[in-house]
PDB file of all heavy atoms in Angstrom:
ATOM      1  N   GLY A  14      23.352  53.445   9.055  1.00  0.00           N
ATOM      2  CA  GLY A  14      22.482  54.500   9.510  1.00  0.00           C
ATOM      3  C   GLY A  14      21.159  54.604   8.788  1.00  0.00           C
ATOM      4  O   GLY A  14      20.299  55.410   9.284  1.00  0.00           O
ATOM      5  N   GLY A  15      21.041  53.982   7.726  1.00  0.00           N
ATOM      6  CA  GLY A  15      19.884  54.095   6.898  1.00  0.00           C
ATOM      7  C   GLY A  15      18.800  53.125   7.277  1.00  0.00           C
ATOM      8  O   GLY A  15      18.885  52.442   8.378  1.00  0.00           O
ATOM      9  N   SER A  16      17.717  53.059   6.512  1.00  0.00           N
ATOM     10  CA  SER A  16      16.536  52.271   6.827  1.00  0.00           C
ATOM     11  C   SER A  16      16.011  51.494   5.675  1.00  0.00           C
ATOM     12  O   SER A  16      16.292  51.922   4.511  1.00  0.00           O
ATOM     13  CB  SER A  16      15.449  53.162   7.322  1.00  0.00           C
ATOM     14  OG  SER A  16      15.688  53.891   8.522  1.00  0.00           O
ATOM     15  N   ARG A  65      15.850  49.212  17.461  1.00  0.00           N
ATOM     16  CA  ARG A  65      16.243  49.690  16.061  1.00  0.00           C
ATOM     17  C   ARG A  65      15.148  49.064  15.055  1.00  0.00           C
ATOM     18  O   ARG A  65      14.851  49.722  13.968  1.00  0.00           O
ATOM     19  CB  ARG A  65      17.527  49.302  15.650  1.00  0.00           C
ATOM     20  CG  ARG A  65      18.630  49.803  16.549  1.00  0.00           C
ATOM     21  CD  ARG A  65      20.066  49.565  15.842  1.00  0.00           C
ATOM     22  NE  ARG A  65      20.324  48.131  15.874  1.00  0.00           N
ATOM     23  CZ  ARG A  65      20.680  47.494  14.719  1.00  0.00           C
ATOM     24  NH1 ARG A  65      20.759  48.150  13.608  1.00  0.00           N
ATOM     25  NH2 ARG A  65      20.971  46.202  14.829  1.00  0.00           N
ATOM     26  N   PHE A  66      14.702  47.905  15.281  1.00  0.00           N
ATOM     27  CA  PHE A  66      13.794  47.177  14.369  1.00  0.00           C
ATOM     28  C   PHE A  66      12.372  47.038  14.930  1.00  0.00           C
ATOM     29  O   PHE A  66      12.340  46.952  16.263  1.00  0.00           O
ATOM     30  CB  PHE A  66      14.308  45.779  14.030  1.00  0.00           C
ATOM     31  CG  PHE A  66      15.550  45.657  13.288  1.00  0.00           C
ATOM     32  CD1 PHE A  66      16.341  46.777  12.913  1.00  0.00           C
ATOM     33  CD2 PHE A  66      15.936  44.426  12.720  1.00  0.00           C
ATOM     34  CE1 PHE A  66      17.547  46.652  12.259  1.00  0.00           C
ATOM     35  CE2 PHE A  66      17.126  44.274  11.946  1.00  0.00           C
ATOM     36  CZ  PHE A  66      17.934  45.425  11.708  1.00  0.00           C
ATOM     37  N   MET A  81      13.363  48.382   9.639  1.00  0.00           N
ATOM     38  CA  MET A  81      14.818  48.373  10.162  1.00  0.00           C
ATOM     39  C   MET A  81      15.361  49.684  10.039  1.00  0.00           C
ATOM     40  O   MET A  81      15.527  50.238   8.946  1.00  0.00           O
ATOM     41  CB  MET A  81      15.608  47.350   9.320  1.00  0.00           C
ATOM     42  CG  MET A  81      14.989  46.008   9.202  1.00  0.00           C
ATOM     43  SD  MET A  81      16.088  44.749   8.474  1.00  0.00           S
ATOM     44  CE  MET A  81      16.071  45.425   6.830  1.00  0.00           C
ATOM     45  N   ASN A  82      15.678  50.424  11.307  1.00  0.00           N
ATOM     46  CA  ASN A  82      16.309  51.635  11.254  1.00  0.00           C
ATOM     47  C   ASN A  82      17.779  51.604  11.882  1.00  0.00           C
ATOM     48  O   ASN A  82      18.061  50.579  12.471  1.00  0.00           O
ATOM     49  CB  ASN A  82      15.499  52.587  12.208  1.00  0.00           C
ATOM     50  CG  ASN A  82      14.029  52.784  11.616  1.00  0.00           C
ATOM     51  OD1 ASN A  82      13.827  52.782  10.270  1.00  0.00           O
ATOM     52  ND2 ASN A  82      13.072  52.961  12.452  1.00  0.00           N
ATOM     53  N   SER A  83      18.479  52.557  11.667  1.00  0.00           N
ATOM     54  CA  SER A  83      19.841  52.752  12.160  1.00  0.00           C
ATOM     55  C   SER A  83      20.580  51.478  11.919  1.00  0.00           C
ATOM     56  O   SER A  83      21.356  50.809  12.718  1.00  0.00           O
ATOM     57  CB  SER A  83      19.798  52.881  13.691  1.00  0.00           C
ATOM     58  OG  SER A  83      19.130  54.085  14.063  1.00  0.00           O
ATOM     59  N   LEU A  84      20.513  51.165  10.604  1.00  0.00           N
ATOM     60  CA  LEU A  84      21.129  49.857  10.193  1.00  0.00           C
ATOM     61  C   LEU A  84      22.754  49.926  10.215  1.00  0.00           C
ATOM     62  O   LEU A  84      23.341  50.937  10.198  1.00  0.00           O
ATOM     63  CB  LEU A  84      20.794  49.591   8.791  1.00  0.00           C
ATOM     64  CG  LEU A  84      19.464  48.980   8.536  1.00  0.00           C
ATOM     65  CD1 LEU A  84      18.899  49.128   7.141  1.00  0.00           C
ATOM     66  CD2 LEU A  84      19.476  47.535   8.956  1.00  0.00           C
ATOM     67  N   LYS A  85      23.259  48.860  10.660  1.00  0.00           N
ATOM     68  CA  LYS A  85      24.666  48.678  10.852  1.00  0.00           C
ATOM     69  C   LYS A  85      25.188  47.665   9.872  1.00  0.00           C
ATOM     70  O   LYS A  85      24.501  46.726   9.409  1.00  0.00           O
ATOM     71  CB  LYS A  85      24.985  48.188  12.253  1.00  0.00           C
ATOM     72  CG  LYS A  85      24.403  48.995  13.304  1.00  0.00           C
ATOM     73  CD  LYS A  85      24.678  48.429  14.703  1.00  0.00           C
ATOM     74  CE  LYS A  85      24.073  49.276  15.754  1.00  0.00           C
ATOM     75  NZ  LYS A  85      24.239  48.710  17.121  1.00  0.00           N
ATOM     76  N   ASP A  88      24.281  43.993  10.296  1.00  0.00           N
ATOM     77  CA  ASP A  88      22.966  43.596  10.007  1.00  0.00           C
ATOM     78  C   ASP A  88      22.919  42.943   8.569  1.00  0.00           C
ATOM     79  O   ASP A  88      21.836  42.456   8.202  1.00  0.00           O
ATOM     80  CB  ASP A  88      21.958  44.825  10.078  1.00  0.00           C
ATOM     81  CG  ASP A  88      21.829  45.404  11.417  1.00  0.00           C
ATOM     82  OD1 ASP A  88      21.660  44.559  12.360  1.00  0.00           O
ATOM     83  OD2 ASP A  88      21.813  46.679  11.516  1.00  0.00           O
TER      84      ASP A  88
END
Side-chain angles (χ1 to χ4, degrees):
S16 299
R65 299 188 297 123
F66 291 10
M81 305 185 293
N82 298 329
S83 302
L84 282 161
K85 305 175 182 180
D88 294 318

